[in-house]
Every structure is written in C-alpha cells, then in structure tokens.
Amino acid sequence: MSRPGTATPALALVLLAVTVAGVGAQGAALEDPDYYGQEIWSQEPYYTRPEPEPETFSPPLPAGPGEEWEPRLQEPRAPKRATKPKKAPKRGKSAPEPPPPGCPPLGLETLKITDFQLHASTVKRYGLGAHRGRLNIQAGINENDFYDGAWCAGRNDLQQWIEVDARRLTRFTGVITQGRNSLWLSDWVTSYKVMVSNDSHTWVTVKNGSGDMIFEGNSEKEIPVLNELPVPMVARYIRINPRSWFDNGSICMRMEILGCPLPDPNNYYHRRNEMTTTDDLDFKHHNYKEMRQLMKVVNEMCPNITRIYNIGKSHQGLKLYAVEISDHPGEHEVGEPEFHYIAGAHGNEVLGRELLLLLVQFLCQEYLARNARIVHLVEETRIHILPSLNPDGYEKAYEGGSELGGWSLGRWTHDGIDINNNFPDLNTLLWEAEDQQNGPRKVPNHYIAIPEWFLSENATVAAETRAVIAWMEKIPFVLGGNLQGGELVVAYPYDLVRSPWKTQEHTPTPDDHVFRWLAYSYASTHRLMTDARRRVCHTEEFQKEEGTVNGASWHTVAGSLNDFSYLHTNCFELSIYVGCDKYPHESQLPEEWENNRESLIVFMEQVHRGIKGLVRDSHGKGIPNAIISVEGVNHDIRTANDGDYWRLLNPGEYAVTAKAEGFTASTKNCMVGYDMGATRCDFTLSKTNMARIREIMEKFGKQPVSLPARRLKLRGRKRRQRG
C-alpha cells in the first residue's frame, strides 16, 4: 500500500522501547488510577536464547558393492522427556507465553507449507491424505471424502510415515502432534520416531544414546503435545514414523514442525514467498498488562486524537478497555459517524486482538506523519477500537501459547459462555410478528426491544455481553466489524436461519445488497481472501463467493452480535474472520498485518457511504429518535440525540422519509453517488395540528379535549337523566 508520509524512525523506536522495556509512564493519566502500576513482561525473542549446536546432516556417500551404509553422526546429548502441556498458573500470576524450543513453526497450520510439501506412506482415502495432517485442522460435519480431520494411514503397521519437505535446509527443533478431529472416532498416535533426510531417500533417525529415540505422543485427540529434539537437526526433509497408537483406533495424526530455515539467497522459492513490512510496529503477543501499557504509550504519543476508556468488566474483574481515535476525543460531533472494531469475543482467537493493537499504533503514527488519507479518516470519523472483549479467556489461551493451546482453550468466558452467541434472539421476535401481520400489533422492523427475561439477573448472560449491549445503546454506531479467527472470510447477517428445521439456509436482511458490498470491501482488499488459488482453511471454499458468505447459509447461530446489532441499533455489523490460524506464532504477525492492513482501513472508510443529515424542527432544533425510512427497504433507522443520522446505502436514487411523533412526515429524493462520501439529506419537520394544540393547552395549564371521552361522558349523563 502506498502511503504519503511515514512515521519517523525515532517515533517508532520510542513506541517499541517503551512497550517492550516497560519504561515508566509520563504524561496524561488514564481514567483508571491503577494504570501506572502495571508491570511489563519482557519476552526474549526465540533467536536470542542460547541453543545447543545443531546436528549437521550431510548427504551420505554411496555404499560399496555388497556393503550397507550406516550413518555416522555425532553422539546426541541426553534427550529430554517428551513435553506435555503445562498446568495453567494460579490465578493472579500472569505468565509470559511459553516460547517454542528454539524455532517457530514451519507453517503447517497457517498453510505456509503447501499441500505439495506433505507426503505419506499410505492414506486411508483422499480426505484423510497427508494434506490433512495439519495441526488444528477441522473436519467437515459429515467427515466426508474431501475434508476430514487428520492424515490417516491406509494400514496400521510400523512402516507408516508422514513427512514434510521444507524445500531448503532447515534446523529442525521440535514436533507438535494431535489426534484426529472427529465427532465419532478416536484415533491418535501414542508414540513415534523422527527421521531427517537431505534427499528423501536416505534417512537418519533421531537417536537416544545408541538407540532410536521414541517420542511420547498423544493421550487423547485434541490436546497438542510438544516434543523437542534432543539436538537440533539440519536437513531438508523431516519424517514422523508412528510406533504405537490408541488400541481401539487407527494411525491418524495432525502435526506442526518447529524449524528455522537456513539462509539461502539462491533459493528462488524462498525469496518469492518472503513477506516483509515497512511499518515499525510492536509485532508481538500482548498479555493483559502489556495491552494496557501499549494503549497508554499510544495515548501519550497522540494525546490530541486518542482517549482510553473501559466499557465494563469481565467476569473476573478485568476491565474491557477501548481506544477512541478522533480529532475531538470524548465527544460526539454532530454529523460525524461512529465506527467500531471489536476483537477477542473468543479469547483464543488472538490474531484479531493483535491486528487491532497494530491498527491503533499505525493510525497514531500515520496521523503524526500527516498521511493525508489517515488524517482525513481520523478527522471525519469517531473510531472506537475494543481489542479484547473476553480478556479472561485470552489469559487462558496465552498461558497455553500459540501452538499448545489447541482449538478451544480460552474460547469461552470464565463462566463458560460463548459471547458470540449470547445476545438476545430478536430474529424470532421479528419473524413471528411478520407471520402475524393480521394481528393487532404493527410489525416492527428495527429497534426491537430486548425481552424482559434477558434483562433479569438470573438470565445466562455474560458480564461482557451486557457491557457490549450498554456500549452499543449509548453510542450511535453506524458500522462495525468484529474480528474472529479460524477461517478466512467475511460473514454478514442474518446469522440465524428463518426455517427452524434447517441448519443452513440463505437468510438475507432487507439490506442484503449493502451488506454484500461491505463484506466485499474487506475481502477484496485482503491479500488472500479472494485468491482463487489459495487452499481452503478447513472445509469451506469461500472463494466462490469472493471471500464473503451469508452467515445463515454457512451455519445457523441464534443470538449473534451481527443480528442483534442490526435489529436493536442502527449499526450494521459484520464478522471478519482474519486467518486460518486462530493463534499464530508472533513471527507471523508482520505477514498477517500486511494481509489485513489495507482491508482494515478500507472497511472503516465505508462508514461514509450512503446518506447522512439532520432532522430538525421549524426552530432548527434537532429531533432525536426520528425514524428514517427508505422506500423499498423494510428496515428503518433512527436519529441520534442531536437529530443527526447516517444511513448506509449503495449508489442509486432513493425516496427517503423522515417522521417523528408529533410531527408531519417529510419525503424527499436522495441521490447516492459512487464517490466516497455520504450525500447530505436534511429534513425539517413541522408539528402536527394536534401537537400544536397540545402545546398551547399545556402552556395554559389545560389539556386538549378528547372527543371520544367527551361523547362517553355525555352518554352517561343522558342515561342517568332517563333513569
């Protein structure tokens, strides 16, 4: 992305130095007095830690006639016991992420390792081929021939293997394994050997003293188990040879390899796939304390455009911090739209959290560097960024680490609630009302009230969910995106199917065309989402819909944030799945930032599409809660407290009506163009005759006469007179 103006290196160095080293805070205090007392955990990069000298593997000489070649390697050091996931630290003791032993993952889970680099001795069927032997890969609902949850050997014997071609010399340091992802079957490998090769023909087994080393594998199918090699091995290929497996199961496994590719400037393939970034940002995983410290640093660097506040607390009492970015932080400017990003509803989906922390830094730096595009965005939009909606869950995932957390550790809140599905189901209320249109009450199409049972203290509602609802009711958001992980797609509402007997059904909103455009604006500017050549993350091929999907046609979800936001507020909300790997190693963060940076900015800019304006009375005073209706679209919005409104629309000409209680409705044609920037469409409403009479009567201490009530009163008098 070409950006006029870049932040000075000194500015970036200040940010990095203060964040990593935990330099004492100076400048304006945050709202919370305990903020300055936060301690910073320093994490030493993996490449700065002392390591044993790697075991160098050289191609063997050909064996002579009748002579069997036996590899001669240096005596390896005493092996360490197979590493199992560590117990979580006690509450109150925050621990840094356990670092991988020496090297980061090669990229089986992130798909950096292609299907062509994975090979196996035999396979049970195509859907259980070597290309499915990736850590945390998920099986399809039916576990069919194409998308199953592991590599499974065609036979259960000791000659089976799965191997990875790193395509260049690599210092291998460890192996992580899982069993098969399956609802119905129990398959995993309980022990295995590791072998390396330079040519895929001659293999050397990792030794334990004089004998082959047997690594302890899995004891169940989902919890990842890490084994470090006793001595790093340098080779191109690495092979896993199962030696035992679950008694009632088969040879099936998912895996990740830890390794550091060695420099090879002549390797074209490697150069072609290198990803670098010119942005000087803090590319690391931040625990809760580090996240707050980073927010404080950004606030001190850009005090005129940032404000830090919290929207509530988690179940464990951690504050849900948000960063506001605006040229007038702390206040709603009439006519300026409000936008939000949310991440971390699932605490283990960490990539979205880190992308938002990077975005906060980036906006600050580029604003100071007077990047015209960013300056315009900040001065014309009030941006709210909430990086961690479920900090309790994140702390659990953080303790496990990027590779050993598995697919679900930290997903839910501390009290076991999935925030993403914890909002009131307003869809059913709407659809039941629409099905009973001949009934006494009018069908609402917006601002549907939250049911009373949901508001009770005994309802199963997370503290985090209640905080978000209060936040969205307080601020007139126009557009929002909640960042999630584990897939690469943008999902738009509705998320709940209308037919109760179906699990998948295309269920569009009245604003389907607008939602499709909003989803495409993110997906089309992402580096990979719309790439027809990319491999699917797990089972779904979203490229056929240009990296977007209607949520209900994917999988039905009742009580989603997207549906609630659309039916209860003015905000158009979408779910943005930013990566196949929920918790990528921090060495992958620069590449993921490059993948998503332009999309994050473009999506924010879409808040300025459609129409906007003021609804005022004849005295020029804004009318709050006035209803804005668009002909042909069965979904209305309402004005904010100052009478201003924003209505997202695609290019075209629309008949728009503004109406409010006590006022005569007004209709006008509003044109939306293709250029960025909402069309101004103001309304002035006159009070109805009855409203004027009521005002006059109230002014003189009287009430207007109610004619029906007067008739009843007269009839009563006549009856009494007759009697």
Side-chain angles (χ1 to χ4, degrees):
M1 181 182 69
S2 177
R3 301 184 308 283
T6 55
T8 61
L11 182 64
L13 289 174
V14 169
L15 175 63
L16 292 174
V18 175
T19 304
V20 177
V23 173
Q26 297 178 0
L30 298 179
E31 294 182 1
D32 300 300
D34 64 337
Y35 198 79
Y36 284 98
Q38 299 308 313
E39 177 185 357
I40 295 301
W41 288 95
S42 61
Q43 292 188 355
E44 193 178 23
Y46 69 85
Y47 48 79
T48 65
R49 296 188 180 89
E51 290 185 22
E53 288 297 319
E55 186 77 40
T56 303
F57 173 67
S58 302
L61 296 174
E67 179 183 351
E68 183 177 354
W69 178 83
E70 183 174 346
R72 293 192 177 111
L73 299 176
Q74 298 176 4
E75 191 72 8
R77 301 182 185 182
K80 295 181 181 179
R81 193 173 181 179
T83 307
K84 294 183 178 180
K86 298 180 180 179
K87 294 182 179 179
K90 294 180 180 179
R91 168 96 182 131
K93 293 184 179 181
S94 179
E97 175 187 358
C103 289
L106 287 187
L108 276 75
E109 184 175 5
T110 63
L111 307 184
K112 189 174 182 180
I113 295 295
T114 69
D115 290 352
F116 301 105
Q117 293 174 259
L118 298 171
H119 308 280
S121 51
T122 60
V123 298
K124 187 167 289 188
R125 50 185 169 79
Y126 176 79
L128 294 168
H131 65 292
R132 302 297 293 177
R134 300 172 180 272
L135 193 72
N136 285 321
I137 203 164
Q138 301 295 293
I141 296 176
N142 301 318
E143 300 182 24
N144 55 35
D145 284 341
F146 293 100
Y147 300 115
D148 223 318
W151 160 68
C152 289
R155 302 185 301 273
N156 291 335
D157 59 45
L158 299 180
Q159 281 68 52
Q160 304 307 309
W161 49 262
I162 180 173
E163 72 181 40
V164 179
D165 176 6
R167 287 185 170 164
R168 58 185 298 189
L169 287 180
T170 300
R171 185 171 72 245
F172 297 115
T173 62
V175 177
I176 302 172
T177 59
Q178 279 175 314
R180 177 180 177 179
N181 175 249
S182 173
L183 294 173
W184 327 110
L185 301 172
S186 297
D187 298 318
W188 60 81
V189 170
T190 56
S191 68
Y192 59 89
K193 291 182 181 180
V194 177
M195 296 176 280
V196 295
S197 172
N198 275 351
D199 57 8
S200 78
H201 296 293
T202 304
W203 293 87
V204 174
T205 304
V206 174
K207 300 290 184 180
N208 179 10
S210 59
D212 295 346
M213 184 169 183
I214 304 296
F215 292 92
E216 184 178 347
N218 299 87
S219 57
E220 62 93 64
K221 54 190 173 185
E222 288 298 336
I223 298 178
V225 174
L226 164 66
N227 280 291
E228 302 177 31
L229 302 187
V231 176
M233 304 289 287
V234 175
R236 172 175 168 174
Y237 301 87
I238 186 168
R239 177 179 285 184
I240 310 301
N241 170 220
R243 308 306 294 172
S244 62
W245 43 93
F246 181 57
D247 289 342
N248 297 322
S250 303
I251 296 178
C252 296
M253 65 189 309
R254 294 173 285 170
M255 67 178 186
E256 180 63 85
I257 304 297
L258 304 180
C260 298
L262 300 184
D264 185 2
N266 298 320
N267 190 316
Y268 168 75
Y269 177 85
H270 172 67
R271 294 199 313 274
R272 185 172 60 123
N273 287 275
E274 283 182 337
M275 171 57 64
T276 59
T277 181
T278 58
D279 296 325
D280 292 321
L281 307 174
D282 192 16
F283 293 105
K284 67 186 292 292
H285 288 299
H286 300 81
N287 64 17
Y288 184 73
K289 292 181 179 180
E290 293 168 335
M291 179 187 73
R292 300 203 310 176
Q293 181 69 11
L294 179 60
M295 288 179 174
K296 187 174 83 66
V297 171
V298 172
N299 178 246
E300 291 175 351
M301 290 177 62
C302 297
N304 295 329
I305 63 166
T306 61
R307 180 178 72 101
I308 301 175
Y309 65 100
N310 72 81
I311 69 169
K313 292 183 179 180
S314 70
H315 184 273
Q316 291 288 84
L318 298 179
K319 293 179 180 177
L320 309 177
Y321 285 105
V323 179
E324 178 192 340
I325 301 176
S326 169
D327 58 339
H328 290 88
E331 62 180 276
H332 170 71
E333 296 181 69
V334 177
E336 186 170 288
E338 309 243 7
F339 174 93
H340 74 248
Y341 272 131
I342 299 173
H346 296 147
N348 65 330
E349 292 171 8
V350 174
L351 178 56
R353 169 192 176 110
E354 295 304 328
L355 287 175
L356 292 190
L357 292 177
L358 292 168
L359 179 63
V360 168
Q361 300 172 60
F362 179 79
L363 293 176
C364 171
Q365 289 187 7
E366 295 299 304
Y367 185 86
L368 293 178
R370 306 311 293 171
N371 180 327
R373 182 186 185 189
I374 300 303
V375 169
H376 181 267
L377 182 63
V378 170
E379 292 182 349
E380 299 298 325
T381 318
R382 191 180 181 205
I383 303 166
H384 303 258
I385 296 177
L386 181 68
S388 185
L389 178 55
N390 181 7
D392 297 348
Y394 173 79
E395 292 298 297
K396 291 181 182 178
Y398 187 82
E399 290 163 2
S402 61
E403 317 311 326
L404 300 181
W407 190 252
S408 60
L409 179 66
R411 174 184 176 89
W412 299 279
T413 63
H414 185 77
D415 48 344
I417 296 175
D418 186 340
I419 298 176
N420 197 49
N421 310 339
N422 193 224
F423 294 84
D425 173 15
L426 304 182
N427 305 59
T428 302
L429 296 177
L430 170 66
W431 295 333
E432 286 178 352
E434 288 180 345
D435 292 340
Q436 299 172 1
Q437 288 190 20
N438 296 328
R441 70 188 183 95
K442 184 180 179 182
V443 178
N445 68 12
H446 73 299
Y447 272 53
I448 300 174
I450 297 175
E452 290 186 8
W453 67 264
F454 189 89
L455 300 174
S456 68
E457 293 184 1
N458 296 328
T460 307
V461 182
E464 298 85 348
T465 306
R466 295 188 190 275
V468 169
I469 291 175
W471 186 47
M472 299 188 72
E473 289 179 336
K474 180 180 179 181
I475 299 176
F477 290 119
V478 179
L479 177 62
N482 57 88
L483 272 55
Q484 301 189 45
E487 265 298 348
L488 205 53
V489 68
V490 181
Y492 54 90
Y494 290 121
D495 290 328
L496 180 65
V497 297
R498 184 152 187 170
S499 302
W501 59 87
K502 293 185 178 180
T503 59
Q504 293 177 314
E505 179 186 42
H506 183 73
T507 310
T509 67
D511 285 288
D512 189 57
H513 292 294
V514 177
F515 274 115
R516 284 174 177 269
W517 168 255
L518 293 171
Y520 185 69
S521 71
Y522 194 101
S524 62
T525 47
H526 189 280
R527 289 184 62 253
L528 298 175
M529 275 191 190
T530 55
D531 186 352
R533 299 168 298 174
R534 76 170 180 87
R535 185 194 186 281
V536 299
C537 291
H538 299 281
T539 64
E540 303 285 347
E541 297 185 21
F542 296 114
Q543 298 93 322
K544 60 186 178 184
E545 294 188 42
E546 300 292 339
T548 69
V549 66
N550 171 254
S553 67
W554 182 12
H555 56 262
T556 184
V557 173
S560 75
L561 173 58
N562 294 348
D563 291 2
F564 168 80
S565 178
Y566 182 68
L567 295 175
H568 185 68
T569 75
N570 287 339
C571 185
F572 285 37
E573 184 90 19
L574 293 85
S575 293
I576 303 168
Y577 293 79
V578 292
C580 303
D581 187 352
K582 291 183 178 182
Y583 196 156
H585 188 270
E586 66 181 31
S587 63
Q588 293 295 317
L589 293 179
E591 181 171 353
E592 293 294 354
W593 169 246
E594 287 294 321
N595 288 343
N596 288 276
R597 178 185 57 198
E598 178 66 12
S599 300
L600 289 166
I601 297 170
V602 166
F603 187 71
M604 283 192 288
E605 292 173 333
Q606 304 313 304
V607 77
H608 295 283
R609 287 198 177 273
I611 60 176
K612 67 177 181 179
L614 286 168
V615 179
R616 293 172 287 200
D617 61 19
S618 56
H619 301 292
K621 184 179 179 181
I623 303 175
N625 288 319
I627 298 174
I628 305 297
S629 302
V630 178
E631 185 178 357
V633 182
N634 187 30
H635 180 78
D636 303 333
I637 64 165
R638 298 197 181 195
T639 57
N641 291 335
D642 298 304
D644 48 350
Y645 77 91
W646 306 263
R647 183 47 163 104
L648 297 176
L649 292 168
N650 285 345
E653 185 175 358
Y654 300 90
V656 183
T657 300
K659 54 188 175 182
E661 185 176 354
F663 293 87
T664 302
S666 175
T667 301
K668 60 172 60 176
N669 289 332
C670 303
M671 177 68 72
V672 178
Y674 287 90
D675 295 334
M676 186 63 69
T679 301
R680 190 67 184 253
C681 201
D682 296 329
F683 294 87
T684 300
L685 304 185
S686 301
K687 290 188 176 180
T688 61
N689 291 334
M690 180 58 71
R692 289 197 188 98
I693 293 172
R694 186 176 289 111
E695 272 189 356
I696 294 171
M697 299 296 286
E698 288 177 352
K699 185 175 181 180
F700 293 99
K702 298 180 180 179
Q703 295 294 327
V705 176
S706 174
L707 295 180
R710 184 179 178 84
R711 291 193 191 100
L712 289 174
K713 191 173 182 181
L714 290 173
R715 288 174 186 169
R717 282 182 186 174
K718 291 179 180 178
R719 289 195 194 99
R720 286 194 295 272
Q721 290 173 358
R722 290 171 185 168

